[in-house]
Amino acid sequence: MTNRISQKLQEDKKLLSIYFTAGYPSLNDTVSVIEGLEKNGVDMIEIGLPFSDPLADGPTIQESSTKALKNGMTTEVLFNQLKDIRKTVSIPLIIMGYFNPMLQYGVEAFCQKCQEIGIDGLIIPDLPVDVYNEEYKSIFEKHGLVNVFLITPQTSDERIRFIDSVSNGFIYMVSSASVTGAKSGFGDEQTQYFDRIAAMELKNPQIVGFGISNKETFIAATEKAKGAIIGSAFIKHLTAFGADKFDTFVNNIR
Amino acid sequence: MSYNADSRGYYGEFGGAFIPEMLYPNCEELRQNYVQVMQEDFFKKEFQQLLKDYVGRPTPLYFAERLSNKYNTKIYLKREDLCHTGAHKVNNTIGQILMAKRLGKNRIIAETGAGQHGVATATVCALMGLECVVYMGEIDIERQAPNVARMKMLGAEVRPAKSGSRTLKDATNEAIRDWINNPVDTHYIIGSVVGPHPYPDMVARFQSVISEEIKWQLKEKEGKENPDYVVACVGGGSNAAGAYYHFLDNPKVGIIAVEAAGKGIDSGESAATSALGKVGIIHGSKTLLMQTTDGQITEPYSISAGLDYPGVGPMHAHLFKSGRGEFISITDVDAMKAGLELSKLEGIIPAIESSHAFAILETRKFESDDVVVINLSGRGDKDLNTYIDYFKL
Ligand SMILES: Cc1ncc(COP(=O)(O)O)c(C=O)c1O
């Protein structure tokens, strides 16, 4: 499958991926955030579809989600905002969101819309790999979407191998047992975990997320892995500086 | 058709475990162990001993004569209100604390709305000497001050849930986040038949002692094990699941589930999930839940905090969808009236949750020789302030 994600993963560099919540800080910031991030050399973007009950997220992303929903963000609004995004943006775009809003939109309709817009993949933390495999895999594939699964330091080798076999893009390595934005910095436990995964020589490259906020943690996370994802730290930047000045943020990371 | 969970935790199309990978090891450890542990002789003995000596089981099955005369049918009350801590919730927390100990956990977390489940959890943690953290919505902490004080006296830490709408669903989110952050030493005691597999089935099994007792108690009193109807209120659905459990596969036993209509189904302030909900995912379970067309979970309303949950357990979603259960919703006004009536006719002040179950007697007619068992899930002490305000007592 030639998908923008697969192509990007072949580039000979460590990838910087940024997560932000669609419709935050203001409803219509979504497109300018994406364009601004690409201009500043970000490799990939996760567009957060906000949910009322984001179980796997810490306070920063909870608050940005609540605000985005208050601003009027919905699945339909997001798709409308992104309608012409491929006229200006060429890096891989991934939608990250919880399963219920997709289920209400209709999974097939959701995937089809993603394909029309030029979305390359989805990250759905609460859609378990076995349910995906049995019920939704063929729909995702039909619409050319990469589905990205999470692993954590607690995930067994056996399950990691299974997730690797089902994945067709990259594996999202959650750096520690935590919700987003909970910890900063890595300890021995993370180093051992990064080493363990590297030694498994998985078919899919790994991108590390959770707990990455600056140059130091970006370098540590990507020593073995292909790239890293920054979420809460970028949301904090948006909160403090608004949706148009990203050069210092990105330059401080690499 | 089966009305119990299959091995993957599905009740028909409902249930399962829609959880982020961070929770997979926690739920998987439970899933692999819960059935086997519950069948161990030692576990069963300890569970039954505590239910008897500590909770005060068996709870009476009481023939409510004056109530029966008024409604011209035979009404029995299953007196869960007489359990230690004042409601059925403790049946589950006793079971789960033993499970947690058996799995080597030393820290307990729980969510609570009105505080009943929080108190029942803090109680068993005190009993076993385990650390206890209870998440409770900031708004509920203000509304339910006496239960907050009880939990503190019992040695629990009450942590305010400050996200979202700051009520039960958000307390549940916070408890789940805590569990993600503490995957090894912590057990999460969920308070109802909700959440990811294996919780709905595990909690239903612990609560099934209710219908197990109804069977032999009814045999003693009526010469037959099976009532014509079992009636229970449904928040998440744990007292109902326990009261129905051993009757689910007998189509001759009518199952009546009573939900909270709040200010009326169409008022926008209601918690009648079967009437207002659509299939979706809440707290890791595929079930009926109240949500916007866009799939955002909405805030329910009921005068009784214990019924104030936007979802319903997957067992009940299946009972509704399959037609096995008859679902009735009752407004605040009718529930309060029924609570007052039970107090005056039988000398029993019910929890407002339980009052909902009694309120169906005004409209749902039974034959004069029908045997109707109503699960009296809790006592009204915790609701005295609400009763006082409402009736200007
Ligand atoms: C007395 C009583 N009944 C019923 C409920 C509702 O819960 P469930 O539907 O799980 O029995 C509660 C919850 O707090 C309660 O305290």
Side-chain angles (χ1 to χ4, degrees), chain A residues 15 20 25 34 55 63 73 77 85 110 145 160 169 176 182 188 197 200 213 229 238 246:
Chain A
L15 304 180
F20 79 104
I34 295 171
L55 284 183
E63 277 157 28
M73 183 49 74
V77 168
I85 197 74
F110 192 95
L145 294 168
I160 291 173
S176 63
D188 289 350
I197 303 305
M200 288 182 78
S213 55
I229 302 170
L238 284 177
F246 305 145

mmCIF file of all heavy atoms in Angstrom, chain A residues 15 20 25 34 55 63 73 77 85 110 145 160 169 176 182 188 197 200 213 229 238 246:
data_model
loop_
_atom_site.group_PDB
_atom_site.id
_atom_site.type_symbol
_atom_site.label_atom_id
_atom_site.label_comp_id
_atom_site.label_asym_id
_atom_site.label_seq_id
_atom_site.Cartn_x
_atom_site.Cartn_y
_atom_site.Cartn_z
ATOM 1 N N LEU A 15 11.210 11.141 12.881
ATOM 2 C CA LEU A 15 10.004 11.898 12.563
ATOM 3 C C LEU A 15 9.429 12.620 13.788
ATOM 4 O O LEU A 15 9.347 12.049 14.873
ATOM 5 C CB LEU A 15 8.938 10.963 11.996
ATOM 6 C CG LEU A 15 9.350 10.133 10.773
ATOM 7 C CD1 LEU A 15 8.185 9.257 10.317
ATOM 8 C CD2 LEU A 15 9.828 11.029 9.629
ATOM 9 N N PHE A 20 -2.827 17.738 17.973
ATOM 10 C CA PHE A 20 -3.577 18.870 18.534
ATOM 11 C C PHE A 20 -5.070 18.564 18.437
ATOM 12 O O PHE A 20 -5.497 17.687 17.691
ATOM 13 C CB PHE A 20 -3.237 20.180 17.800
ATOM 14 C CG PHE A 20 -3.939 20.315 16.474
ATOM 15 C CD1 PHE A 20 -5.029 21.165 16.334
ATOM 16 C CD2 PHE A 20 -3.538 19.572 15.378
ATOM 17 C CE1 PHE A 20 -5.702 21.280 15.116
ATOM 18 C CE2 PHE A 20 -4.200 19.677 14.156
ATOM 19 C CZ PHE A 20 -5.284 20.535 14.022
ATOM 20 N N PRO A 25 -7.460 26.506 19.719
ATOM 21 C CA PRO A 25 -8.235 27.245 20.731
ATOM 22 C C PRO A 25 -9.560 27.790 20.198
ATOM 23 O O PRO A 25 -10.513 27.899 20.956
ATOM 24 C CB PRO A 25 -7.328 28.406 21.130
ATOM 25 C CG PRO A 25 -6.024 28.201 20.441
ATOM 26 C CD PRO A 25 -6.190 27.152 19.414
ATOM 27 N N ILE A 34 -2.726 23.156 11.133
ATOM 28 C CA ILE A 34 -2.126 22.117 10.287
ATOM 29 C C ILE A 34 -1.122 22.750 9.313
ATOM 30 O O ILE A 34 0.024 22.297 9.185
ATOM 31 C CB ILE A 34 -3.222 21.352 9.504
ATOM 32 C CG1 ILE A 34 -4.115 20.584 10.491
ATOM 33 C CG2 ILE A 34 -2.603 20.396 8.491
ATOM 34 C CD1 ILE A 34 -5.353 19.962 9.866
ATOM 35 N N LEU A 55 -11.073 9.000 28.002
ATOM 36 C CA LEU A 55 -10.549 8.156 29.081
ATOM 37 C C LEU A 55 -9.035 8.067 29.191
ATOM 38 O O LEU A 55 -8.513 7.889 30.279
ATOM 39 C CB LEU A 55 -10.999 6.707 28.816
ATOM 40 C CG LEU A 55 -12.417 6.355 29.106
ATOM 41 C CD1 LEU A 55 -12.616 4.878 28.841
ATOM 42 C CD2 LEU A 55 -12.694 6.690 30.551
ATOM 43 N N GLU A 63 -9.154 19.272 28.748
ATOM 44 C CA GLU A 63 -9.629 20.661 28.714
ATOM 45 C C GLU A 63 -9.720 21.199 27.286
ATOM 46 O O GLU A 63 -10.681 21.891 26.934
ATOM 47 C CB GLU A 63 -8.720 21.556 29.569
ATOM 48 C CG GLU A 63 -9.099 21.504 31.042
ATOM 49 C CD GLU A 63 -7.960 21.894 31.982
ATOM 50 O OE1 GLU A 63 -7.087 22.689 31.554
ATOM 51 O OE2 GLU A 63 -7.934 21.389 33.122
ATOM 52 N N MET A 73 -17.282 22.196 17.795
ATOM 53 C CA MET A 73 -16.696 21.156 16.951
ATOM 54 C C MET A 73 -17.571 19.905 16.953
ATOM 55 O O MET A 73 -18.063 19.478 17.988
ATOM 56 C CB MET A 73 -15.284 20.819 17.473
ATOM 57 C CG MET A 73 -14.540 19.802 16.632
ATOM 58 S SD MET A 73 -14.529 20.125 14.856
ATOM 59 C CE MET A 73 -13.373 21.474 14.738
ATOM 60 N N VAL A 77 -18.452 19.122 11.226
ATOM 61 C CA VAL A 77 -17.715 20.386 11.121
ATOM 62 C C VAL A 77 -16.252 20.121 10.773
ATOM 63 O O VAL A 77 -15.671 20.769 9.898
ATOM 64 C CB VAL A 77 -17.825 21.199 12.443
ATOM 65 C CG1 VAL A 77 -16.828 22.356 12.463
ATOM 66 C CG2 VAL A 77 -19.249 21.714 12.637
ATOM 67 N N ILE A 85 -8.052 20.469 2.426
ATOM 68 C CA ILE A 85 -6.744 20.481 3.085
ATOM 69 C C ILE A 85 -5.628 19.968 2.168
ATOM 70 O O ILE A 85 -4.490 20.415 2.249
ATOM 71 C CB ILE A 85 -6.789 19.672 4.407
ATOM 72 C CG1 ILE A 85 -5.588 20.011 5.294
ATOM 73 C CG2 ILE A 85 -6.845 18.169 4.180
ATOM 74 C CD1 ILE A 85 -5.656 21.345 5.953
ATOM 75 N N PHE A 110 -17.570 7.170 7.853
ATOM 76 C CA PHE A 110 -16.441 7.907 8.422
ATOM 77 C C PHE A 110 -15.178 7.628 7.603
ATOM 78 O O PHE A 110 -14.451 8.547 7.208
ATOM 79 C CB PHE A 110 -16.239 7.487 9.886
ATOM 80 C CG PHE A 110 -15.298 8.371 10.659
ATOM 81 C CD1 PHE A 110 -15.790 9.418 11.422
ATOM 82 C CD2 PHE A 110 -13.924 8.154 10.630
ATOM 83 C CE1 PHE A 110 -14.927 10.241 12.141
ATOM 84 C CE2 PHE A 110 -13.054 8.966 11.336
ATOM 85 C CZ PHE A 110 -13.557 10.015 12.094
ATOM 86 N N LEU A 145 -6.945 3.345 4.581
ATOM 87 C CA LEU A 145 -6.564 3.941 5.862
ATOM 88 C C LEU A 145 -5.660 3.018 6.671
ATOM 89 O O LEU A 145 -5.931 1.829 6.801
ATOM 90 C CB LEU A 145 -7.820 4.247 6.686
ATOM 91 C CG LEU A 145 -8.734 5.329 6.109
ATOM 92 C CD1 LEU A 145 -10.062 5.329 6.846
ATOM 93 C CD2 LEU A 145 -8.060 6.696 6.208
ATOM 94 N N ILE A 160 2.347 -7.917 21.530
ATOM 95 C CA ILE A 160 3.031 -6.977 20.630
ATOM 96 C C ILE A 160 3.210 -7.608 19.251
ATOM 97 O O ILE A 160 2.979 -6.969 18.227
ATOM 98 C CB ILE A 160 4.388 -6.542 21.227
ATOM 99 C CG1 ILE A 160 4.145 -5.666 22.473
ATOM 100 C CG2 ILE A 160 5.217 -5.774 20.189
ATOM 101 C CD1 ILE A 160 5.387 -5.307 23.242
ATOM 102 N N GLY A 169 1.251 0.264 9.315
ATOM 103 C CA GLY A 169 1.860 1.589 9.211
ATOM 104 C C GLY A 169 2.958 1.697 10.249
ATOM 105 O O GLY A 169 4.089 1.323 10.011
ATOM 106 N N SER A 176 4.929 5.260 28.914
ATOM 107 C CA SER A 176 4.837 4.730 30.276
ATOM 108 C C SER A 176 3.384 4.428 30.589
ATOM 109 O O SER A 176 2.492 4.809 29.844
ATOM 110 C CB SER A 176 5.366 5.754 31.279
ATOM 111 O OG SER A 176 4.562 6.910 31.238
ATOM 112 N N ALA A 182 0.835 13.100 31.632
ATOM 113 C CA ALA A 182 0.973 12.838 33.069
ATOM 114 C C ALA A 182 2.416 12.973 33.542
ATOM 115 O O ALA A 182 2.693 13.530 34.581
ATOM 116 C CB ALA A 182 0.449 11.453 33.401
ATOM 117 N N ASP A 188 14.717 4.718 34.048
ATOM 118 C CA ASP A 188 15.277 3.415 33.674
ATOM 119 C C ASP A 188 14.231 2.510 33.049
ATOM 120 O O ASP A 188 14.512 1.778 32.109
ATOM 121 C CB ASP A 188 15.826 2.711 34.928
ATOM 122 C CG ASP A 188 17.087 3.394 35.406
ATOM 123 O OD1 ASP A 188 17.601 4.254 34.649
ATOM 124 O OD2 ASP A 188 17.542 3.080 36.524
ATOM 125 N N ILE A 197 11.737 -3.313 23.024
ATOM 126 C CA ILE A 197 10.981 -3.249 21.769
ATOM 127 C C ILE A 197 11.931 -3.240 20.573
ATOM 128 O O ILE A 197 11.699 -3.939 19.580
ATOM 129 C CB ILE A 197 10.070 -2.004 21.739
ATOM 130 C CG1 ILE A 197 9.113 -1.996 22.939
ATOM 131 C CG2 ILE A 197 9.288 -1.932 20.436
ATOM 132 C CD1 ILE A 197 8.266 -3.237 23.104
ATOM 133 N N MET A 200 13.044 -6.557 19.525
ATOM 134 C CA MET A 200 12.048 -7.456 18.937
ATOM 135 C C MET A 200 12.037 -7.392 17.409
ATOM 136 O O MET A 200 11.464 -8.254 16.757
ATOM 137 C CB MET A 200 10.644 -7.126 19.474
ATOM 138 C CG MET A 200 10.449 -7.539 20.929
ATOM 139 S SD MET A 200 8.771 -7.198 21.527
ATOM 140 C CE MET A 200 7.870 -8.573 20.778
ATOM 141 N N SER A 213 8.089 16.345 25.545
ATOM 142 C CA SER A 213 7.708 17.747 25.641
ATOM 143 C C SER A 213 8.798 18.694 25.165
ATOM 144 O O SER A 213 8.547 19.880 24.988
ATOM 145 C CB SER A 213 7.347 18.084 27.086
ATOM 146 O OG SER A 213 8.426 17.742 27.928
ATOM 147 N N ILE A 229 5.845 11.578 19.134
ATOM 148 C CA ILE A 229 4.628 12.384 19.049
ATOM 149 C C ILE A 229 4.548 13.309 20.259
ATOM 150 O O ILE A 229 4.715 12.863 21.396
ATOM 151 C CB ILE A 229 3.376 11.476 19.033
ATOM 152 C CG1 ILE A 229 3.447 10.496 17.857
ATOM 153 C CG2 ILE A 229 2.101 12.324 18.972
ATOM 154 C CD1 ILE A 229 2.392 9.405 17.896
ATOM 155 N N LEU A 238 -0.330 26.136 22.380
ATOM 156 C CA LEU A 238 -1.476 26.784 21.728
ATOM 157 C C LEU A 238 -2.244 27.652 22.719
ATOM 158 O O LEU A 238 -2.676 28.760 22.392
ATOM 159 C CB LEU A 238 -2.445 25.729 21.173
ATOM 160 C CG LEU A 238 -2.081 24.997 19.887
ATOM 161 C CD1 LEU A 238 -3.146 23.957 19.570
ATOM 162 C CD2 LEU A 238 -1.955 25.983 18.728
ATOM 163 N N PHE A 246 4.477 28.929 15.549
ATOM 164 C CA PHE A 246 4.982 27.603 15.912
ATOM 165 C C PHE A 246 6.485 27.455 15.756
ATOM 166 O O PHE A 246 7.052 26.434 16.113
ATOM 167 C CB PHE A 246 4.319 26.503 15.075
ATOM 168 C CG PHE A 246 2.825 26.529 15.141
ATOM 169 C CD1 PHE A 246 2.065 26.196 14.036
ATOM 170 C CD2 PHE A 246 2.182 26.880 16.324
ATOM 171 C CE1 PHE A 246 0.689 26.218 14.105
ATOM 172 C CE2 PHE A 246 0.806 26.910 16.398
ATOM 173 C CZ PHE A 246 0.051 26.574 15.280
#
